[in-house]
Amino acid sequence: MAINLSGESVLILGAGVTGIAVARSLSAKGASILFADDQVENVEGFKVSKSDQIQVDGLSFIVISPGWKESHPLIVKAQAAGIRLVNEIDLAWSFRAELVPGQKWIALTGTNGKTTTVEMAAAMLRAGGVSAIACGNVGTTVIESVESPEKYEVLVLELSSFQLHWLREASFVAAAILNIAEDHLDWHGTFTEYARVKGSILDRASTGVFNSSDLEVVNQAAHWQGRKVFFSLETPAPGEIGIVEELLVDRAFVSDPQEAAMLAEIVDVKPTVPHNVANALAAAGLVRALGVSPEAVRSALQNFSLGRHRIEEVANINGISWVNDSKATNPHATVASLNSALSSIWIAGGLAKGAEMQELIAKCKSRIKVAILIGADRELIADELRSQAPEIEIVYVDAPGTYQRGGRDNSLMEAVVKAAAERAKTGDRVLLAPACASMDQFISYEPSAHR
């Protein structure tokens, strides 16, 4: 796409973070911008209209923000009129050719662990002397990263299923799939379609990095013809990355596949829990595809710490540990969170997004002391607890009458904390790992974001 967009008329679907970043970029290149958004009424410097008020005649093209379905009436109307549909990532890719022609992209998707892993990968690249940034579904948007004055040598993209659904042009030196478990089925319709979209990240990749312990990831890899590198917590075969005794080792990106390169010690990965070690192996696979040394991988891991809201201990009072894992917004992530300790007073609930809770409770019931449940779909969790573990106490906490989503009233979480404190004793862990999305109660997975 040309950098000079003078005289072009562009409609952007969605006035969220991605849409606003795109609007600023295209406006600076001379385009005339209009937003379609049914929730947002004002964006400084731009016109916003309801989607049913938009006329597509005369539009040069439409930029679709993540989360907009093909069945939306405005998209159906645009397709019928032959209007070109573009997503932010492909748009950034087209600008990259002129702005940073030597820039390489690597990418990662999965149901859980994406943000941690792309941040690990970016840290490994930087430790190896490569200017890099994690972007996409985390932190900075891709278009802002491409246009950054830093002129990054490598972008590490975290891609959600929503972003992958619309992706058509961007390509990657390497792409990884961490895991594929039930999530966003309310949007994709079926698990098969969700898995297919996750697997589509391979369509534009030269090297694929796969979790061999995840059956659906292995299934997606089976249908792909590129270079395959598998990782697991087991001893690696030639061409794989894995664990030997207490070491992370690489038998994929070495000159002699009968040899192994030591990447790090297990204790270099913090917290040293299985799913986080797997994240480190996936990140190492991505950066080793770009030639990053084992020494840089180890140095990055030794200095890396998880971001906020990921198994984050926020307080330890009277011997009671209070842990925030609000990023665990689906059952698969919550299994890992609950399994990181022997016993928890568990805070959960919200919007299940079509996911079921049977497997979660089956795997974790021995690690739940009390379940404190909130939100719209809490009965899905309660029903499974009653069926599989009736001895576990279930506590319902409703939003007080004064509580308003998006307001400054913190009474809902205060009531949750009070209920947990009444039941916690010295040595207990209170864990917020909702297994659901939070949009029914808060404006973000961050516990303070409703303020």
Side-chain angles (χ1 to χ4, degrees):
M1 181 173 291
I3 295 293
N4 183 1
L5 298 175
S6 180
E8 303 280 352
S9 179
V10 181
L11 173 65
I12 300 177
L13 306 186
V17 173
T18 299
I20 291 172
V22 169
R24 289 170 178 163
S25 171
L26 299 186
S27 179
K29 297 172 179 59
S32 174
I33 304 297
L34 171 63
F35 277 108
D37 198 301
D38 294 331
Q39 305 298 323
V40 178
E41 295 183 355
N42 297 294
V43 175
E44 185 176 354
F46 301 100
K47 182 181 178 182
V48 182
S49 296
K50 301 295 184 184
S51 60
D52 60 2
Q53 298 174 349
I54 299 291
Q55 299 299 319
V56 299
D57 298 340
L59 291 175
S60 302
F61 60 93
I62 294 174
V63 181
I64 304 177
S65 297
W68 284 66
K69 293 185 179 182
E70 286 190 73
S71 59
H72 191 283
L74 184 53
I75 294 177
V76 172
K77 186 192 301 184
Q79 290 176 323
I83 306 296
R84 186 160 59 105
L85 303 175
V86 183
N87 66 87
E88 178 250 348
I89 297 166
D90 286 341
L91 194 63
W93 178 257
S94 70
F95 293 159
R96 160 197 164 278
E98 183 170 330
L99 297 175
V100 277
Q103 188 180 78
K104 296 182 175 66
W105 288 15
I106 57 178
L108 178 142
T109 195
T111 304
N112 299 302
K114 297 186 294 296
T115 297
T116 295
T117 307
V118 294
E119 289 175 344
M120 279 181 173
M124 292 171 183
L125 287 161
R126 291 191 291 266
V130 179
S131 63
I133 187 173
C135 59
N137 198 44
V138 55
T140 310
T141 63
V142 180
I143 201 162
E144 288 171 316
S145 300
V146 165
E147 296 180 337
S148 169
E150 295 292 331
K151 303 291 183 183
Y152 295 108
E153 296 172 84
V154 177
L155 299 189
V156 186
L157 279 68
E158 174 187 328
L159 298 177
S160 69
S161 60
F162 302 146
Q163 291 167 310
L164 287 168
H165 177 83
W166 293 105
L167 195 63
R168 300 290 184 271
E169 302 296 334
S171 63
F172 314 112
V173 175
I177 307 178
L178 286 179
N179 42 62
I180 303 176
E182 285 192 353
D183 199 15
H184 302 301
L185 301 192
D186 55 341
W187 199 91
H188 291 282
T190 66
F191 177 72
T192 299
E193 175 60 14
Y194 172 69
R196 184 200 67 77
V197 170
K198 286 292 192 185
S200 71
I201 195 173
L202 303 169
D203 295 346
R204 290 159 294 278
S206 301
T207 296
V209 180
F210 304 97
N211 181 356
S212 63
S213 299
D214 188 295
L215 292 178
E216 188 54 46
V217 171
V218 173
N219 180 51
Q220 294 298 320
H223 304 295
W224 185 64
Q225 301 301 313
R227 181 188 182 186
K228 302 174 187 179
V229 175
F230 289 94
F231 68 90
S232 76
L233 302 181
E234 306 297 328
T235 301
E240 298 179 349
I241 299 175
I243 304 294
V244 176
E245 296 180 348
E246 301 300 316
L247 303 178
L248 281 66
V249 298
D250 171 17
R251 297 188 68 187
F253 301 97
V254 288
S255 56
D256 183 352
Q258 301 306 315
E259 301 295 328
M262 194 273 276
L263 299 172
E265 295 185 48
I266 287 180
V267 293
D268 292 328
V269 183
K270 305 177 191 70
T272 313
V273 293
H275 69 277
N276 204 40
V277 175
N279 293 340
L281 291 168
L286 283 172
V287 303
R288 291 286 283 157
L290 288 174
V292 172
S293 71
E295 294 77 15
V297 169
R298 184 175 191 185
S299 174
L301 289 175
Q302 288 174 332
N303 293 287
F304 185 83
S305 59
L306 290 180
R308 298 201 61 201
H309 318 296
R310 300 174 184 88
I311 316 183
E312 174 192 12
E313 184 175 71
V314 294
N316 195 308
I317 303 169
N318 298 326
I320 300 168
S321 175
W322 296 79
V323 178
N324 169 23
D325 195 12
S326 57
K327 282 281 285 183
T329 57
N330 57 61
H332 187 265
T334 301
V335 168
S337 192
L338 283 167
N339 283 340
S340 66
L342 291 176
S343 179
S344 296
I345 294 173
W346 178 37
I347 302 165
L351 295 175
K353 300 172 291 182
E356 297 182 353
M357 301 295 165
Q358 182 177 4
E359 186 176 359
L360 163 61
I361 302 305
K363 289 181 175 180
C364 300
K365 59 189 176 185
S366 65
R367 295 177 183 250
I368 302 168
K369 179 178 179 179
V370 178
I372 298 175
L373 304 182
I374 58 178
D377 291 333
R378 63 188 182 183
E379 282 301 327
L380 293 175
I381 301 171
D383 287 346
E384 288 299 333
L385 285 169
R386 293 191 191 98
S387 173
Q388 299 188 47
E391 72 281 2
I392 294 175
E393 180 186 4
I394 297 173
V395 180
Y396 291 109
V397 176
D398 295 308
T402 58
Y403 182 77
Q404 182 180 1
R405 179 182 176 274
R408 298 190 60 83
D409 182 353
N410 202 34
S411 57
L412 174 54
M413 284 310 297
E414 287 173 356
V416 168
V417 169
K418 182 175 184 292
E422 289 172 348
R423 290 161 176 81
K425 294 179 173 59
T426 298
D428 283 344
R429 179 178 81 153
V430 178
L431 171 68
L432 171 62
C436 298
S438 61
M439 290 85 74
D440 59 326
Q441 304 156 94
F442 310 107
I443 60 172
S444 167
Y445 65 84
E446 299 184 33
S448 61
H450 64 292
R451 294 190 170 197

